[in-house]
C-alpha cells in the first residue's frame, strides 16, 4: 500500500527533488512514474521552467533506492545534471501521479533537448505493415523525433510547440495520456489520421500531390537524377544521386559550390562500409541518436565530384522517418547538402525555399509541420580515439555545457566570431550554445545571426547584463553589438584568448595553462593579424609568450584566396627584394609578369600587405610551394590538401623542427620558419616528393610546439583554433607534448574552429561578471 498520512507514519519521509539537465521531452516523467510505482512510493512529478520537480514520500530505504535508480536507470536520451533535495512535510497522497506543468512567472532555466534520430522501436513500427504508423514519415516517441526545432517556449509541452495545431485522434490521445506508454506526453505524437502530411511541389512551387504519393514522386525524381529539395527536421536538404557524376556536377553548378565536399546520405551502415573504412567508434557515431555527418576514409574510388581531391566522405544515415522512406525508395547513396545557395543560411520554410532555391531544385518534398528553429547537421571526425566535432548542430545543440569556477554569475550573451558563427547565452555555470549559423558574409547570414540571438533570448528571457564580442573592429557580430548596446555592458575578448578559454571550459579546467592557438585569422591587440599564438592564460587574463614569425599578406583578403600570393609574401619576409632575383621559387609559383610587378611594388612599399603570424596562412604558403593548391575555392582547401598529402607519406623521425628563436635579445620565443623553407626549396629542387615534405612540415610544427612549451615551463597545454581540425597535426602535437611530459587538452564537445568561439567568450563574460560581483 502506498504510504500516506492516513496510516503509520513513524518510518515515512517526504522529499521534494528538483532535477536539472536534459530531462524534458525524453520520457523522464513516465520513467519517474514507473519507478515510484515499482517502489510503492506516493507523490507526483511535473515539468517546470527549471527541469522536472518530484514530490515523493516513503520509507528511507525506498527513497534511497529511488535516488540511486533516478540516475542509473534514466532514459538513454536524458542527461541528469543535478538533483537538489529538501525534506518536506508528509501529505495525504496515496498514489503517484504526473501533474500538468505549472504556468510559472519565473525565468526558465530548463535544458532544451536536441532533436533526436528515429529510435529502433519507431523504425520497427515504421517498417511493420500491421502497424497503424506503417511508413508514416512523422513517427516518433519520447526517445526520438523533433524537439528543439519545433519548440516555441519552455517548458516543452505540446501547446508550446508547432504541433499545437494538430489535434490528436482518439488512439494517439490515449497513448499520450498513458504513463505506461512510451508515447506518454511525446509532444510531436501523431499518426496518418491526425498528424502532419507531406506534399510534392513542382519547380514553380505548385502542389502536385500529397501523402504517400508525394514521397513516391520525390523518389522517382531522385532515381531519374533530378535535384530535389527535401524539408527535414531542421531545414531543407538538396538531394541528388551521389553515384551519377552528371547530377553531382549539375548540383555544383546550380548551387555555386565549385569544390567544397558534399555530404552523402547512405541507406544503411552496411552500404557505408561498402564505400569506406568505418571504425567501431565511427559506426557508433553514425548510428547514435545524434546521427551526425561522420568523416570516414574512402576504401574505393567513387564519383570524384563529391569531394574533389579528398580521401574522406562525409557520410550519414537517414535520421528521420521521411529520410527512411526516401532512402528505401531510392536504395542508393544520395548527396544531401544544406538547402541554400553558397554562403547563405539554411532554408527552413516552404515559401522561402521556393524563392531562394528557384533554379536549383527541380521539385520540393515538403510537409506542414512548421520548423520554428532551423538547425543544420552536426559534423564529426574521429581523432585520437574520440570524436572531434567540426560542427555542433542537430542532435547536440542547444544542450547546455557546464563550465568550471562560476557557480553564481549574472547572465551574459556571446555573439561569436565572423566565420562558422554560433552564439551563446550563459548564466551561473551553464552555457547554451546555438546551433551552427555559418559565415556572416551576406545580408541573409547577418539576419540569421540576429534571429539566433533573438531565439535564445526568447527561450531564456532574463535580460543579459553583459554582451561579449570579438575584439575585431570589423566583424559583423561585434559591430552590431557596438551599435546597439550600451558600451558599459559590452566586454570585448581577444579572438585567440577566447579559443583558449573555450578549450578550458570544454575540459572543465581552471587555473593557469599554456594555450597554443593556431588558426587563419584573428585580430591582435597590436593591430596585426594573429594566428600562431602561444598564450599564458589565467582566467580573464592572458599574456602572449610566443608566436610564429610574422610575414606579409600581399593584398590582404585576396592573399587568403590565393596561396601563391601568401607564399610570395613569406619568401619576401625571408629574403626581401632579393627574392625577386632568385629563380629557385619560380618553378613552384607562377605569376604573369604584370602581376609579379604589382605584387613586388606592394611588398616593397608595404601597401595592402598586413603582417600576420598565422599558422593557417603558413599552411597555405607551404601548400602552394609544394604545388598542391595555388588558388582556393573554399575556406581551408589549401590546408586540407597539405594534410592529405602528409597522410599519404611514410612516417619519418629525422630532421630538425622549425627553429625557436631563444636568443638573449628575443623578448618572446618566435617560431622561425625561414630555415625550414630554405630546406624545403632545396629538397624540392633535388626531387624529394611533396608528400614527404608535407609530413615533415606537420611533424616539425609539432616539435616546435614542444620547444615553446618546454621553454615557458608549461605543465598543462590546451590546443585550439581551426588548424587543430587537422588530424595529422593534432595527433603529432598531442603525442609529442605527452612524450615531453606535458598534460594536453583539446576540444571535446565543441569545435576547435570558430564554432567554439562563443563558448570561450561566454566563459570570459561569466568570470568577469562573477569577479565584479565579488568586488
Amino acid at each position: 500500500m502506498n504510504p500516506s498520512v492516513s496510516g503509520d507514519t513513524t518510518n515515512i519521509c517526504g522529499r521534494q527533488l528538483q532535477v536539472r539537465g536534459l530531462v524534458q521531452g525524453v520520457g523522464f516523467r513516465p520513467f519517474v512514474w514507473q519507478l515510484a510505482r515499482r517502489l510503492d512510493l506516493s507523490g507526483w512529478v511535473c515539468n517546470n521552467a527549471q527541469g522536472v520537480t518530484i514530490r515523493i514520500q516513503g520509507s528511507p530505504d525506498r527513497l534511497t533506492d529511488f535516488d540511486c535508480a533516478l540516475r542509473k536507470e534514466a532514459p538513454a536520451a536524458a542527461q541528469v545534471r543535478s538533483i537538489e533535495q529538501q525534506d518536506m512535510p508528509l501529505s495525504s497522497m496515496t498514489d503517484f501521479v504526473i501533474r500538468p506543468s505549472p504556468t510559472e512567472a519565473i525565468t526558465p532555466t530548463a535544458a532544451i533537448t536536441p532533436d533526436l534520430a528515429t529510435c529502433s522501436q519507431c523504425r520497427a513500427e515504421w517498417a511493420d505493415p500491421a502497424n497503424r504508423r506503417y511508413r508514416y514519415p512523422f513517427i516518433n516517441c519520447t526517445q526520438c523525433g523533433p524537439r528543439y526545432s519545433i519548440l516555441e517556449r519552455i517548458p516543452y509541452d505540446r501547446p508550446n510547440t508547432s504541433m499545437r495545431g494538430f489535434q490528436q485522434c482518439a488512439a494517439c490521445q490515449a497513448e499520450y495520456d498513458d504513463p505506461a506508454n512510451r508515447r506518454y506526453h511525446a509532444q510531436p505524437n501523431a499518426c496518418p489520421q491526425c498528424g502532419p502530411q507531406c506534399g510534392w511541389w513542382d519547380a514553380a512551387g505548385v502542389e502536385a500531390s500529397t501523402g504517400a504519393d508525394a514521397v513516391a514522386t520525390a523518389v522517382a525524381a531522385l532515381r531519374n537524377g533530378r535535384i530535389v529539395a527535401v524539408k527535414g527536421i531542421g531545414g531543407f536538404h538538396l538531394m541528388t544521386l551521389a553515384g551519377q557524376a552528371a547530377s553531382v556536377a549539375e548540383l555544383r553548378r546550380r548551387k555555386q559550390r565549385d569544390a567544397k565536399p558534399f555530404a552523402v546520405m547512405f541507406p544503411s551502415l552496411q552500404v557505408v562500409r561498402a564505400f569506406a573504412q568505418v571504425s567501431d567508434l565511427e559506426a557508433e557515431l553514425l548510428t547514435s541518436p545524434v546521427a551526425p555527418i561522420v568523416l570516414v576514409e574512402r576504401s574505393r574510388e567513387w564519383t570524384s565530384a563529391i569531394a574533389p581531391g579528398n580521401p574522406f566522405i562525409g557520410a550519414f544515415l537517414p535520421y528521420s522517418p521521411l529520410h527512411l522512406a526516401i532512402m528505401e525508395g531510392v536504395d542508393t547513396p544520395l548527396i544531401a547538402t544544406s538547402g541554400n545557395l553558397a554562403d547563405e543560411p539554411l532554408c527552413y520554410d516552404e515559401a522561402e525555399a521556393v524563392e531562394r532555391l528557384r533554379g536549383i531544385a527541380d521539385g520540393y518534398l515538403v510537409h506542414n509541420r512548421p520548423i520554428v528553429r532551423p538547425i543544420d547537421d552536426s559534423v564529426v571526425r574521429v581523432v585520437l580515439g574520440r570524436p572531434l566535432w567540426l560542427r555542433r548542430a542537430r542532435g547536440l545543440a542547444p544542450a547546455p555545457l557546464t563550465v568550471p569556477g562560476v557557480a553564481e554569475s549574472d547572465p551574459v550573451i556571446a555573439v561569436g566570431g565572423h566565420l562558422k558563427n554560433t552564439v551563446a547565452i550563459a548564466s551561473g555555470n551553464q552555457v547554451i550554445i546555438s546551433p551552427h549559423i555559418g559565415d556572416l558574409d551576406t545580408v541573409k547570414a547577418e539576419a540569421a545571426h540576429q534571429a539566433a540571438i533573438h531565439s535564445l533570448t526568447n527561450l531564456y528571457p532574463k535580460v543579459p547584463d553583459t554582451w561579449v564580442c570579438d575584439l575585431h573592429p570589423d566583424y559583423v557580430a561585434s559591430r552590431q553589438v557596438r551599435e546597439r548596446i550600451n558600451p558599459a555592458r559590452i566586454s570585448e575578448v581577444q579572438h585567440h584568448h577566447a579559443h583558449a578559454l573555450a578549450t578550458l571550459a570544454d575540459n572543465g579546467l581552471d587555473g593557469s595553462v599554456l594555450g597554443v592557438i593556431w588558426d587563419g585569422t584573428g585580430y591582435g591587440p597590436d593591430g596585426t593579424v594573429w594566428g600562431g599564438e602561444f598564450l599564458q592564460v589565467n582566467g580573464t587574463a592572458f599574456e602572449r609568450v610566443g608566436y610564429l614569425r610574422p610575414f606579409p599578406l600581399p593584398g590582404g583578403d585576396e592573399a587568403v584566396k590565393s596561396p601563391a600570393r601568401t607564399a610570395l609574401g613569406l619568401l619576401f619576409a625571408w629574403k626581401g627584394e632579393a627574392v625577386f632575383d632568385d629563380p629557385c621559387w619560380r618553378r613552384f609559383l607562377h605569376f604573369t609578369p604584370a602581376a609579379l610587378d604589382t605584387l613586388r611594388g606592394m611588398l616593397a612599399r608595404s601597401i595592402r600587405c598586413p603582417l600576420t603570424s598565422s599558422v593557417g596562412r603558413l599552411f597555405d604558403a607551404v601548400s602552394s610551394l609544394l604545388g598542391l593548391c595555388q588558388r582556393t575555392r573554399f575556406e581551408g582547401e589549401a590546408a586540407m590538401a597539405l594534410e592529405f598529402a602528409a597522410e599519404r607519406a611514410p612516417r619519418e623521425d629525422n630532421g630538425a623542427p622549425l627553429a625557436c628563436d631563444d636568443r638573449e635579445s628575443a623578448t618572446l620565443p618566435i617560431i622561425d620558419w625561414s630555415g625550414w623553407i630554405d630546406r624545403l626549396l632545396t629538397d624540392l629542387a633535388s626531387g624529394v616528393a611533396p608528400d614527404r615534405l608535407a609530413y615533415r612540415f606537420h611533424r616539425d610544427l609539432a616539435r616546435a610546439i614542444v620547444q615553446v612549451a618546454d621553454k615557458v615551463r608549461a605543465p598543462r597545454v590546451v590546443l585550439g583554433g581551426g588548424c587543430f581540425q587537422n588530424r595529422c597535426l593534432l595527433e603529432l602535437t598531442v603525442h609529442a607534448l605527452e612524450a615531453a611530459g606535458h598534460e594536453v587538452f583539446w576540444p571535446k564537445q565543441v569545435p576547435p574552429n570558430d564554432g567554439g568561439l562563443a563558448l570561450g567568450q561566454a566563459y570570459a563574460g561569466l568570470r568577469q561578471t562573477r569577479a565584479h560581483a565579488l568586488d
Side-chain angles (χ1 to χ4, degrees):
M1 180 177 177
N2 288 326
S4 73
V5 296
S6 60
D8 182 9
T9 62
T10 56
N11 199 33
I12 301 299
C13 302
R15 289 181 190 167
Q16 183 159 308
L17 288 69
Q18 180 61 53
V19 186
R20 302 178 190 272
L22 290 179
V23 290
Q24 293 188 10
V26 292
F28 197 81
R29 289 175 301 162
F31 154 70
V32 170
W33 178 84
Q34 292 172 6
L35 177 60
R37 291 195 161 213
R38 187 179 85 200
L39 295 173
D40 202 28
L41 302 172
S42 64
W44 51 263
V45 61
C46 72
N47 281 343
N48 65 6
Q50 287 72 47
V52 168
T53 300
I54 304 169
R55 182 77 178 271
I56 198 159
Q57 56 190 37
S59 69
D61 289 346
R62 296 287 179 90
L63 292 178
T64 298
D65 292 342
F66 180 86
D67 290 344
C68 292
L70 199 60
R71 289 183 182 272
K72 291 182 178 180
E73 300 177 22
Q79 295 178 23
V80 177
R81 189 177 76 237
S82 67
I83 301 176
E84 302 160 14
Q85 296 194 24
Q86 59 178 322
D87 293 334
M88 299 294 289
L90 298 181
S91 74
S92 58
M93 297 178 292
T94 60
D95 200 355
F96 195 91
V97 298
I98 299 176
R99 286 187 173 180
S101 302
T103 54
E104 298 172 292
I106 58 178
T107 302
T109 59
I112 302 168
T113 304
D115 304 289
L116 302 172
T118 307
C119 70
S120 58
Q121 288 177 291
C122 283
R123 282 175 179 253
E125 292 176 348
W126 179 87
D128 180 5
N131 192 280
R132 70 190 187 91
R133 293 187 176 90
Y134 176 57
R135 282 179 167 69
Y136 180 52
F138 306 97
I139 188 172
N140 67 86
C141 70
T142 53
Q143 296 304 300
C144 67
R147 300 289 188 274
Y148 169 79
S149 61
I150 63 172
L151 181 65
E152 295 178 343
R153 57 189 173 274
I154 297 173
Y156 177 66
D157 291 325
R158 193 175 182 107
N160 295 338
T161 74
S162 61
M163 285 297 294
R164 68 180 184 277
F166 296 94
Q167 182 68 39
Q168 296 182 88
C169 66
C172 286
Q173 191 68 51
E175 294 170 331
Y176 186 88
D177 293 335
D178 181 4
N181 192 290
R182 81 174 198 281
R183 292 193 170 91
Y184 175 78
H185 280 218
Q187 308 307 343
N189 188 38
C191 73
Q193 281 66 50
C194 65
Q197 298 294 328
C198 288
W200 170 259
W201 295 3
D202 64 19
V206 177
E207 185 173 82
S209 58
T210 60
D213 289 343
V215 176
T217 305
V219 166
L222 288 166
R223 289 174 69 91
N224 287 326
R226 303 299 186 192
I227 298 169
V228 176
V230 178
K231 183 183 178 185
I233 285 181
F236 278 84
H237 282 121
L238 287 167
M239 306 184 84
T240 196
L241 292 175
Q244 189 164 301
S247 296
V248 179
E250 182 62 14
L251 177 57
R252 285 202 177 279
R253 186 190 69 79
R254 295 185 190 180
K255 190 174 161 69
Q256 300 175 24
R257 181 166 169 159
D258 293 339
K260 192 174 181 180
F262 282 137
V264 180
M265 183 175 284
F266 288 82
S268 67
L269 180 59
Q270 290 70 29
V271 179
V272 180
R273 285 186 161 134
F275 288 87
Q277 302 171 30
V278 182
S279 69
D280 289 345
L281 179 53
E282 287 165 343
E284 183 181 327
L285 288 164
L286 283 164
T287 57
S288 71
V290 177
I293 296 169
V294 182
L295 301 190
V296 291
E297 196 160 359
R298 278 200 322 249
S299 59
R300 73 184 200 192
E301 288 302 316
W302 204 20
T303 308
S304 60
I306 293 173
N310 193 323
F312 293 90
I313 302 171
F316 64 139
L317 298 177
Y319 55 82
S320 77
L322 181 56
H323 292 129
L324 287 173
I326 292 169
M327 297 310 295
E328 182 185 70
V330 177
D331 197 28
T332 191
L334 294 174
I335 299 295
T337 188
S338 301
N340 56 7
L341 197 62
D343 300 326
E344 289 189 354
L346 181 69
C347 291
Y348 64 99
D349 173 80
E350 296 93 315
E352 174 198 33
V354 171
E355 178 63 29
R356 287 175 52 197
L357 302 181
R358 192 182 305 277
I360 302 177
D362 294 314
Y364 304 82
L365 181 59
V366 301
H367 58 74
N368 60 345
R369 182 177 66 201
I371 296 172
V372 178
R373 302 173 191 278
I375 188 163
D376 216 327
D377 299 311
S378 292
V379 182
V380 68
R381 73 185 308 185
V382 172
V383 181
L384 293 164
R386 78 182 200 199
L388 180 71
W389 295 98
L390 307 182
R391 183 199 293 166
R392 189 173 186 271
R394 178 187 49 75
L396 296 174
L401 301 179
T402 302
V403 298
V406 284
E408 297 295 334
S409 65
D410 292 327
V412 303
I413 189 160
V415 299
H418 187 76
L419 302 177
K420 299 178 177 65
N421 182 270
T422 59
V423 299
I425 191 166
S427 183
N429 65 348
Q430 298 295 300
V431 180
I432 296 165
I433 307 172
S434 76
H436 168 85
I437 299 167
D439 300 350
L440 305 184
D441 289 327
T442 66
V443 172
K444 288 185 173 66
E446 290 183 32
H449 177 258
Q450 288 301 302
I453 293 174
H454 181 70
S455 174
L456 277 184
T457 53
N458 265 3
L459 286 176
Y460 299 96
K462 188 173 180 181
V463 177
D465 294 289
T466 303
W467 289 68
V468 190
C469 64
D470 194 275
L471 191 63
H472 199 294
D474 296 324
Y475 275 4
V476 168
S478 301
R479 191 176 68 243
Q480 289 175 341
V481 169
R482 296 185 188 107
E483 290 172 352
R484 300 174 187 181
I485 303 299
N486 186 320
R489 296 173 57 204
I490 298 174
S491 174
E492 296 182 339
V493 179
Q494 198 277 329
H495 189 91
H496 301 94
H497 184 206
H499 270 305
L501 290 175
T503 305
L504 270 170
D506 195 6
N507 284 274
L509 300 176
D510 210 349
S512 179
V513 297
L514 174 65
V516 181
I517 312 301
W518 286 1
D519 61 5
T521 299
Y523 185 77
D526 59 0
T528 65
V529 180
W530 286 15
E533 309 310 312
F534 297 84
L535 307 179
Q536 194 67 46
V537 176
N538 194 347
T540 57
F542 79 92
E543 178 186 2
R544 193 188 199 193
V545 297
Y547 57 94
L548 184 76
R549 176 182 169 180
F551 55 94
L553 293 175
D557 287 344
E558 182 57 31
V560 175
K561 301 173 185 176
S562 173
R565 282 187 177 224
T566 303
L568 187 60
L570 189 80
L571 296 175
F572 182 84
W574 171 33
K575 288 194 171 183
E577 286 213 56
V579 75
F580 291 98
D581 300 319
D582 183 350
C584 180
W585 57 270
R586 294 183 187 233
R587 74 187 71 181
F588 312 119
L589 306 181
H590 304 285
F591 294 101
T592 65
L596 194 58
D597 284 345
T598 299
L599 292 170
R600 182 173 189 169
M602 291 169 62
L603 287 163
R605 298 174 180 82
S606 298
I607 298 171
R608 292 182 59 234
C609 291
L611 286 176
T612 184
S613 59
S614 165
V615 172
R617 299 289 79 82
L618 181 64
F619 265 86
D620 290 351
V622 172
S623 185
S624 172
L625 289 170
L626 293 181
L628 301 173
C629 182
Q630 304 301 347
R631 187 161 187 87
T632 60
R633 295 164 293 181
F634 60 90
E635 189 217 352
E637 183 179 12
M640 288 168 60
L642 193 61
E643 175 190 355
F644 301 151
E647 295 278 14
R648 293 191 296 265
R651 298 303 182 249
E652 303 175 9
D653 290 330
N654 59 314
L658 282 73
C660 178
D661 188 346
D662 57 0
R663 295 168 298 171
E664 292 295 327
S665 60
T667 57
L668 298 177
I670 299 173
I671 302 300
D672 190 347
W673 39 260
S674 60
W676 196 94
I677 293 296
D678 191 10
R679 293 195 301 274
L680 172 115
L681 293 174
T682 301
D683 288 344
L684 266 178
S686 64
V688 177
D691 289 1
R692 292 180 62 188
L693 295 173
Y695 173 74
R696 292 177 190 174
F697 175 70
H698 285 76
R699 177 202 64 194
D700 295 345
L701 281 175
R703 290 176 174 178
I705 290 174
V706 175
Q707 281 189 310
V708 177
D710 287 346
K711 182 177 177 64
V712 301
R713 296 186 176 90
R716 299 192 303 173
V717 180
V718 300
L719 308 175
C723 290
F724 289 107
Q725 297 175 117
N726 180 318
R727 182 176 72 176
C728 184
L729 178 64
L730 181 56
E731 289 179 344
L732 288 169
T733 300
V734 170
H735 291 324
L737 283 168
E738 289 180 340
H742 301 276
E743 196 174 7
V744 195
F745 303 89
W746 63 98
K748 296 193 301 184
Q749 303 171 86
V750 298
N753 59 45
D754 284 6
L757 207 63
L759 172 61
Q761 292 175 346
Y763 187 38
L766 288 175
R767 294 188 70 106
Q768 288 168 359
T769 58
R770 181 174 181 269
H772 293 158
L774 294 175
D775 287 345

